[in-house]
Amino acid sequence: MERDLDAIMISSLVNVRYLTGFTGSNGALVVRPDGADILATDGRYTTQAGAQAPDLELLIERGCATALVGRVAETGGDRIGYESHVVTIDGLGSLQTAAATNRSGVDLLSVGPVVEALRVIKDTHEIEALRAACSIADAALASLIAAGGLRAGRSEREVGRDLDNRMLGLGAEAVSFETIVAAGANSAIPHHRPTDAVLVVGDFVKLDFGSTFAGYHSDMTRTLVLGPPADWQREIYDLVATAQRLGREALIVGASVVDVDAAARAPIVDAGHGAAFSHGLGHGVGLEIHEAPALSALGAGRLAADMAVTVEPGVYLAGRGGVRIEDTLVVGTDGPDLLTMTSKELVAL
Amino acid sequence: MERDLDAIMISSLVNVRYLTGFTGSNGALVVRPDGADILATDGRYTTQAGAQAPDLELLIERGCATALVGRVAETGGDRIGYESHVVTIDGLGSLQTAAATNRSGVDLLSVGPVVEALRVIKDTHEIEALRAACSIADAALASLIAAGGLRAGRSEREVGRDLDNRMLGLGAEAVSFETIVAAGANSAIPHHRPTDAVLVVGDFVKLDFGSTFAGYHSDMTRTLVLGPPADWQREIYDLVATAQRLGREALIVGASVVDVDAAARAPIVDAGHGAAFSHGLGHGVGLEIHEAPALSALGAGRLAADMAVTVEPGVYLAGRGGVRIEDTLVVGTDGPDLLTMTSKELVAL
């Protein structure tokens, strides 16, 4: 264990899940070098924690993190690491009090995102969970289109609920995030919440959605046109499709995340739409819908094999409409593994 | 402004929403004594922020909080408050760096949950939003039962999706949380996630669910029996119903939250089931599904008029089944205002 820590306190619930399998809404974990880890949760989850993490010592206490720090301090732990990107200023104060109540001289030391650093690289089971989540989303969209679910007269909300139900019916445990259905001028709002606005012939319809499977999130965006596309629609669609292809092709082991973003951004900037691509190219995806690495001009670091990321350039023309095309992929030495398989040809319904 | 602060940085997104109406997924707010508040968000939300908070100065920058601190420091702010229950240890480090980059001598000072303290007391619009959310949940459950949706042979997941769709069809903007449908022995798990387990005659079926309306959450639990209840089922149902009534009756302006919890807990403890009521009595509800005050032996403070809370005692008998009955109510000088109207008589389907 780094820096001779006696224990690391894991407060992030998703990190607790990653390390233990426990999925309750309140919990914390102490990891110790001798393997005598302890999972804390409250009384609502006693049964569940025992079933999901049968090999761990269990501590039932509503204030999980403070109880765990108290326990470690009481059993002689002098140097306890904590997640400084998760623990709040007040939270650290509580941990310090809990430690001092049990014994003086206990140091709480920042360890930062050590678990997130592990989570960036997906193992085979994680990749298969992501693939299953993506394949549910693919099948749901195909069935929505086949059933005529994308038609003039339906509201964004109706389309979103229909798509969500198809994902759940296909075995999704949940939706990854609130499904975005953005029609017409609303498609120019990158993160639009579905409204009662009705789809109209000639509209762009942008769908950004995903499902979770075994805790892992899929993320996909497709933009379609209701009826024959106008020239301006075809033009920005082709531009975004080109950018997205260049982004996928830039997913090379060892590439800097800044360069990947730049590769996809270049044609959009060259076409004079740089300001209309108002977000980063993509993000890591796994137990969280947004996790490391960020594929962005503001990101840092390089790609490694078995990182799962999205590639999602967009061009948004306020008042007219916008296009985003997004896939979830896994970086690999033989090129990226595309998990979202829906065609990216311009579909005119 | 307290302690002569030049500004308070609001980092909690739900607090930003409460103060400004902005609902994006990235944002921060600076509140200043002269009213020159600034809302920061990133490029995805430029249009939305302008529409939702038209009177505020807008700063578009991905690192919202650091950009705002930089701006305040640059314009002469020396004493900047921050939410110490929200800002992480690493986050405070970034804010300090952002301040120091612009000017030396800027102090960042903990202000704690000042906005949450405001949010505890609901105004008329908030209460009406809560009432609408509760009434959608009531209507959805009534329609589920009327349609025969609670019947042997359906899975917990099917029932949950059906109930969710009825809420969304009735105008819910979302579900408040993942709907709990727990049948048979699963009803003894307080926070059970729906599975493919099938409802069987003789089962308890516990439904804990809610909808959101204008951002406000409803929360209700009902436990029914499929077929004629057995004696043990009637017995624990009546016990929990009594506890729940006592809890509601204890919702008096000025009552301590500890006493409210104790009032409902007493009959359960007297019946020898104290250990089987493994959680607090209830919680505040509003823009978040769980917010202050906690009605719990570990809570603190007293009830005031226009606090919105849940009252939800339960008894869970591992391997057999459990009962929870929960309402959402608003504390008032003439007694609580019951927002969830579904009957609490034992329903045998």
Side-chain angles (χ1 to χ4, degrees):
Chain A
M1 193 159 290
E2 61 186 62
R3 294 186 300 170
D4 297 323
L5 296 173
D6 295 309
I8 298 180
M9 160 71 58
I10 306 298
S11 311
S12 152
L13 269 179
V14 65
N15 288 342
V16 170
R17 175 179 186 158
Y18 179 76
L19 295 173
T20 70
F22 174 66
T23 59
S25 70
N26 183 26
L29 175 74
V30 145
V31 179
R32 293 197 283 199
D34 61 0
D37 300 348
I38 310 172
L39 175 64
T41 183
D42 66 61
R44 295 172 301 170
Y45 294 110
T46 310
T47 309
Q48 181 179 327
Q52 292 180 325
D55 299 333
L56 285 181
E57 183 183 341
L58 202 58
L59 181 63
I60 300 298
E61 193 76 58
R62 197 173 174 83
C64 300
T66 50
L68 285 176
V69 161
R71 172 73 71 89
V72 172
E74 185 183 289
T75 54
D78 277 334
R79 294 169 61 79
I80 307 177
Y82 70 92
E83 296 178 294
S84 51
H85 61 304
V86 174
V87 174
T88 65
I89 301 294
D90 291 353
L92 181 60
S94 301
L95 296 184
Q96 284 163 337
T97 303
T101 303
N102 281 279
R103 204 155 46 77
S104 62
V106 176
D107 281 335
L108 284 154
L109 301 157
S110 160
V111 297
V114 287
V115 182
E116 284 80 356
L118 302 174
R119 285 172 44 204
V120 166
I121 308 297
K122 270 65 180 178
D123 70 20
T124 309
H125 291 104
E126 295 180 284
I127 292 170
E128 289 319 307
L130 285 166
R131 195 185 307 279
C134 289
S135 127
I136 288 167
D138 281 328
L141 179 56
S143 104
L144 178 76
I145 293 173
L150 285 178
R151 61 177 182 270
R154 287 193 112 188
S155 71
E156 293 171 341
R157 270 172 61 93
E158 282 176 293
V159 170
R161 285 170 49 200
D162 192 346
L163 185 53
D164 289 353
N165 279 315
R166 288 172 194 274
M167 288 192 280
L168 295 167
L170 287 161
E173 61 194 359
V175 299
S176 284
F177 51 88
E178 187 181 5
T179 292
I180 296 174
V181 180
N186 288 341
S187 61
I189 304 172
H191 276 216
H192 175 69
R193 294 187 81 166
T195 66
D196 292 325
V198 161
L199 278 56
V200 172
V201 171
D203 272 359
F204 268 136
V205 182
K206 186 180 69 189
L207 305 164
D208 186 349
F209 64 105
S211 80
T212 68
F213 188 86
Y216 286 80
H217 296 68
S218 77
D219 197 356
M220 177 166 77
T221 308
R222 291 293 183 270
T223 308
L224 307 92
V225 181
L226 283 193
D231 287 347
W232 71 272
Q233 289 177 317
R234 190 175 291 281
E235 193 179 306
I236 71 165
Y237 191 92
D238 288 346
L239 178 61
V240 174
T242 298
Q244 207 264 351
R245 177 177 56 75
L246 292 171
R248 284 185 283 118
E249 290 173 357
L251 294 180
I252 293 166
V253 171
S256 115
V257 297
V258 172
D259 291 346
V260 176
D261 178 274
R265 198 170 296 275
I268 296 175
V269 171
D270 290 350
H273 287 306
F277 176 14
S278 51
H279 53 75
L281 178 65
H283 54 83
V285 61
L287 284 173
E288 291 180 289
I289 182 64
H290 293 120
E291 50 183 59
L295 305 186
S296 151
L298 305 170
R302 293 180 180 279
L303 296 181
D306 299 329
M307 287 182 171
V309 296
T310 70
V311 172
E312 49 177 313
V315 169
Y316 312 97
L317 306 179
R320 299 183 74 190
V323 173
R324 181 165 65 247
I325 303 173
E326 174 186 29
D327 285 314
T328 298
L329 310 97
V330 177
V331 177
T333 45
D334 301 326
D337 183 3
L338 181 67
L339 303 189
T340 42
M341 303 294 283
T342 301
S343 165
K344 290 178 283 280
E345 295 294 308
L346 176 55
V347 173
L349 290 169
Chain B
M1 193 159 291
E2 61 185 62
R3 295 186 298 169
D4 295 325
L5 296 173
D6 295 308
I8 297 180
M9 159 72 56
I10 306 299
S11 311
S12 151
L13 269 179
V14 65
N15 287 342
V16 170
R17 176 180 185 158
Y18 179 76
L19 295 173
T20 69
F22 174 65
T23 61
S25 70
N26 184 26
L29 175 74
V30 146
V31 179
R32 294 197 283 199
D34 61 359
D37 301 348
I38 311 172
L39 174 65
T41 183
D42 66 61
R44 296 172 300 171
Y45 294 110
T46 310
T47 308
Q48 180 179 328
Q52 293 180 325
D55 298 332
L56 286 181
E57 183 183 342
L58 202 58
L59 181 62
I60 300 299
E61 192 76 59
R62 196 172 174 84
C64 299
T66 50
L68 285 175
V69 161
R71 171 75 71 91
V72 172
E74 184 183 291
T75 54
D78 276 335
R79 296 169 60 80
I80 307 177
Y82 70 92
E83 296 179 293
S84 50
H85 61 304
V86 174
V87 174
T88 65
I89 301 294
D90 291 353
L92 181 59
S94 300
L95 297 185
Q96 284 163 336
T97 303
T101 303
N102 282 280
R103 204 156 45 79
S104 62
V106 176
D107 281 335
L108 284 153
L109 301 157
S110 161
V111 298
V114 287
V115 182
E116 285 80 356
L118 302 174
R119 284 173 44 204
V120 166
I121 308 297
K122 270 65 181 178
D123 70 20
T124 309
H125 291 103
E126 294 181 284
I127 292 170
E128 290 318 308
L130 285 166
R131 194 185 307 277
C134 290
S135 125
I136 288 167
D138 281 329
L141 179 56
S143 105
L144 178 75
I145 293 173
L150 285 177
R151 61 177 183 271
R154 287 194 112 187
S155 71
E156 293 171 342
R157 269 171 61 94
E158 283 176 293
V159 170
R161 284 170 49 200
D162 192 346
L163 186 53
D164 289 354
N165 278 315
R166 288 172 195 273
M167 288 192 281
L168 295 167
L170 286 160
E173 62 194 358
V175 298
S176 283
F177 51 87
E178 187 181 5
T179 292
I180 294 174
V181 180
N186 287 342
S187 61
I189 303 173
H191 275 216
H192 175 69
R193 294 186 80 166
T195 66
D196 291 326
V198 161
L199 278 57
V200 172
V201 171
D203 273 0
F204 268 136
V205 182
K206 187 180 70 190
L207 304 164
D208 186 349
F209 64 103
S211 81
T212 68
F213 188 86
Y216 285 79
H217 296 70
S218 77
D219 197 355
M220 175 166 78
T221 307
R222 290 293 183 270
T223 308
L224 307 93
V225 181
L226 282 194
D231 287 347
W232 72 271
Q233 288 176 318
R234 191 175 290 281
E235 194 179 305
I236 71 165
Y237 191 92
D238 289 346
L239 178 60
V240 174
T242 299
Q244 207 264 352
R245 177 176 54 76
L246 293 171
R248 284 184 284 119
E249 290 173 358
L251 294 180
I252 293 166
V253 172
S256 114
V257 296
V258 172
D259 292 345
V260 177
D261 178 273
R265 197 170 297 274
I268 295 176
V269 171
D270 290 349
H273 286 307
F277 176 14
S278 50
H279 53 75
L281 178 65
H283 53 84
V285 62
L287 284 173
E288 290 179 290
I289 182 64
H290 294 120
E291 51 182 59
L295 305 186
S296 152
L298 304 170
R302 294 180 179 279
L303 295 181
D306 299 329
M307 287 183 172
V309 296
T310 70
V311 173
E312 48 176 314
V315 169
Y316 312 96
L317 305 179
R320 298 183 75 190
V323 173
R324 181 166 63 248
I325 304 172
E326 174 186 29
D327 285 314
T328 298
L329 309 98
V330 177
V331 177
T333 44
D334 301 326
D337 183 2
L338 181 67
L339 303 190
T340 43
M341 302 295 282
T342 300
S343 165
K344 289 176 284 282
E345 296 293 309
L346 176 55
V347 173
L349 290 169

